[in-house]
Amino acid sequence: MDKSSATELARAAGLNLWTFRGRPLLPVVQGGMGVGISAGQLAGTVASFDAVGTISSVDLRRLHPDLMEATGELTGPEAKAQIDAANKEGLHREIKRARELARGRGLIAVNVMRALDQYETYVRQALESGADALVVGAGLPLDLPDLAKDFPKATLVPILSDARGVQLLVRKWEKKGRLPDAIVIEHPRLAGGHLGAARVSDLKDGRFEFDVVLPEVREFFRKSGYEKEIPLIAAGGISCREDIKRLQGLGAAAVQLGTAFAVTCESDASLAFKQVLAGAKPEDLVEFTSVAGLPARAVRTPWLDKYLRIQERMQKAAHQKPHCTMWFDCLAQCGLRDGNANWGQFCIDKVLGYALAGDVRKGLFFRGAGKLPFGTQIRPVQDLLNHLVGNLVPPTTLAVNNAELQEA
């Protein structure tokens, strides 16, 4: 796809462009995925095609050998400050890398989990390092306007899942003199990773269905006078142009995809990671309660299969630990560290780190429930965007199948 004609292709495909931060963009947002899956290379490439690329802020030191060499073996109470500083530096580097690849096109966002211990630190670092937008999920970011008060031009985008959550957040932000610049509406039944429902049993609740929540939120905006001010981004289960057209018809301005971008050639993950996600069948996906206390969806790999078998026993033995397994508090509240028997009992940073490196035996591989546009193939970002805006340009020849991945 010629980058200069990306928006023209979208129009020709019958899609509506959307204007974000004053720029006409493709109605496609690449979701944030950690640890290290969506970093500077992926986000910058996506942005270079006039879309929104998103860096996940979590533990980005893992992508930088010098930072890992300095902090990877640290233990003891003093390790936390050094590891946190390394992750701040990793985030700064990845934002810089993404901007260089984007070359002034599209937008670069940073995703920060509200549940992180260093949530406030990452918010400030992302803004100081020049991120175009800040996306926050895994909890209600009611305090985000306060954290960004020194950056009045900052673009703030919360992730929510139902109309009630949207109304609550907008009313709270109103009192702080801010409105969201956009809102991601993430469907818990379809998305990957941490999900916006209170319990696993709630994932199929009808209030999360796009044809329910999008019109409800639009009606709330209409009555409040915000209909044209706050664009909605639908996330979860999107795989083709027809999905985008349907969701735009329901009131979404754009859509967000995670897994489909995670398995592109430019994804910052290893090839083995991409193979696990691309090769997973619907029956391979499982929902469970994360160590962060949120429902989550991932591929049933050897580690997850074993964990689910012993989960009940581990929860019965849950007890408060004197310190985090990794010697830094990646989560503000952690089922394993804090001894919460109703939450997950594993070190999420460790198992996501194994997944990033492609260790199928030890890793936790988050994945969305939807089908992938190219099946088991690993294709470039260009091909994916081309497919989503109408497949109007012949695909490139850079495709990798599972057999080739096994040989890599």
Side-chain angles (χ1 to χ4, degrees):
M1 184 194 307
D2 185 336
K3 297 176 186 179
S4 66
S5 63
T7 55
E8 285 78 5
L9 292 181
R11 289 193 184 97
L15 301 177
N16 298 320
L17 298 181
W18 71 311
T19 300
F20 195 39
R21 282 182 58 108
R23 297 188 187 184
L25 300 170
L26 290 179
V28 178
V29 177
Q30 166 252 311
M33 298 166 285
V35 168
I37 307 306
S38 64
Q41 178 172 279
L42 177 58
T45 302
V46 172
S48 75
F49 287 98
D50 290 326
V52 179
T54 307
I55 297 168
S56 171
S57 67
V58 181
D59 207 5
L60 286 170
R61 67 189 175 123
R62 290 182 178 275
L63 297 179
H64 298 270
D66 62 321
L67 298 179
M68 281 303 290
E69 183 178 356
T71 63
E73 302 299 325
L74 291 179
T75 60
E78 70 282 356
K80 176 176 169 53
Q82 296 179 62
I83 294 172
D84 288 341
N87 280 324
K88 284 179 59 179
E89 173 62 22
L91 176 56
H92 177 74
R93 292 182 189 180
E94 293 303 318
I95 293 173
K96 180 180 179 182
R97 183 186 187 194
R99 300 201 75 87
E100 290 172 350
L101 287 170
R103 297 185 179 183
R105 309 196 66 121
L107 294 177
I108 302 297
V110 171
N111 178 288
V112 182
M113 291 175 60
R114 179 65 182 83
L116 291 175
D117 171 70
Q118 291 297 300
Y119 160 63
E120 296 183 15
T121 299
Y122 289 149
V123 165
R124 177 164 290 276
Q125 185 63 59
L127 295 173
E128 290 178 349
S129 296
D132 294 316
L134 198 62
V135 182
V136 180
L140 274 174
L142 300 180
D143 57 350
L144 189 54
D146 298 322
L147 300 179
K149 65 182 179 181
D150 293 337
F151 302 87
K153 296 183 179 180
T155 298
L156 308 181
V157 184
I159 301 176
L160 301 161
S161 292
D162 64 9
R164 286 181 293 180
V166 171
Q167 292 181 38
L168 172 63
L169 181 134
V170 170
R171 294 305 187 201
K172 293 287 187 180
W173 280 29
E174 276 182 317
K175 296 177 181 178
K176 301 174 185 293
R178 289 294 300 262
L179 288 174
D181 295 282
I183 297 175
V184 175
I185 302 294
E186 187 177 77
H187 198 316
R189 181 173 58 80
L190 300 171
H194 290 108
L195 307 170
R199 299 173 295 274
V200 172
S201 59
D202 294 335
L203 295 180
K204 296 181 180 179
D205 192 308
R207 76 179 189 274
F208 298 128
E209 296 300 325
F210 287 133
D211 57 2
V212 173
V213 63
L214 291 174
E216 285 183 348
V217 172
R218 278 297 173 205
E219 179 63 12
F220 164 63
F221 287 168
R222 187 188 66 78
K223 291 181 178 179
S224 304
Y226 304 138
E227 189 170 11
K228 295 183 179 179
E229 295 187 38
I230 309 176
L232 299 178
I233 304 165
I238 295 120
S239 64
C240 61
R241 177 185 56 168
E242 287 69 29
D243 290 338
I244 301 176
K245 292 179 71 173
R246 181 179 69 85
L247 291 167
Q248 286 191 329
L250 290 172
V255 300
Q256 176 176 289
L257 296 87
T259 305
F261 280 107
V263 300
T264 58
C265 297
E266 294 88 348
S267 165
D268 294 87
S270 66
L271 289 178
F273 175 95
K274 300 171 190 179
Q275 180 183 23
V276 170
L277 267 63
K281 300 178 178 64
E283 59 269 26
D284 297 327
L285 303 184
V286 62
E287 293 88 30
F288 60 100
T289 300
S290 165
V291 70
L294 297 167
R297 178 172 292 109
V299 181
R300 187 187 285 271
T301 48
W303 174 83
L304 183 54
D305 188 59
K306 179 181 179 181
Y307 169 73
L308 292 175
R309 290 199 306 270
I310 64 174
Q311 175 181 242
E312 184 176 353
R313 187 169 75 223
M314 294 187 69
Q315 288 177 325
K316 288 181 179 179
H319 63 280
Q320 189 171 0
K321 313 298 189 300
H323 60 77
C324 179
T325 301
M326 300 294 285
W327 288 99
F328 73 104
D329 299 327
C330 65
L331 294 172
Q333 294 180 299
C334 169
L336 178 64
R337 183 194 65 222
D338 302 335
N340 189 329
N342 296 317
W343 293 10
Q345 298 296 309
F346 56 90
C347 176
I348 193 167
D349 186 77
K350 183 179 293 184
V351 292
L352 289 178
Y354 286 134
L356 172 67
D359 190 329
V360 179
R361 186 173 61 87
K362 298 180 179 180
L364 170 61
F365 295 77
F366 284 143
R367 189 196 191 281
K371 65 179 182 180
L372 293 175
F374 302 119
T376 60
Q377 290 186 323
I378 310 301
R379 300 270 282 270
V381 163
Q382 176 172 329
D383 283 10
L384 176 57
L385 290 175
N386 212 13
H387 170 80
L388 293 172
V389 301
N391 199 27
L392 300 177
V393 174
T396 68
T397 57
L398 280 174
V400 183
N401 61 34
N402 277 338
E404 289 170 323
L405 277 174
Q406 290 174 338
E407 297 173 359

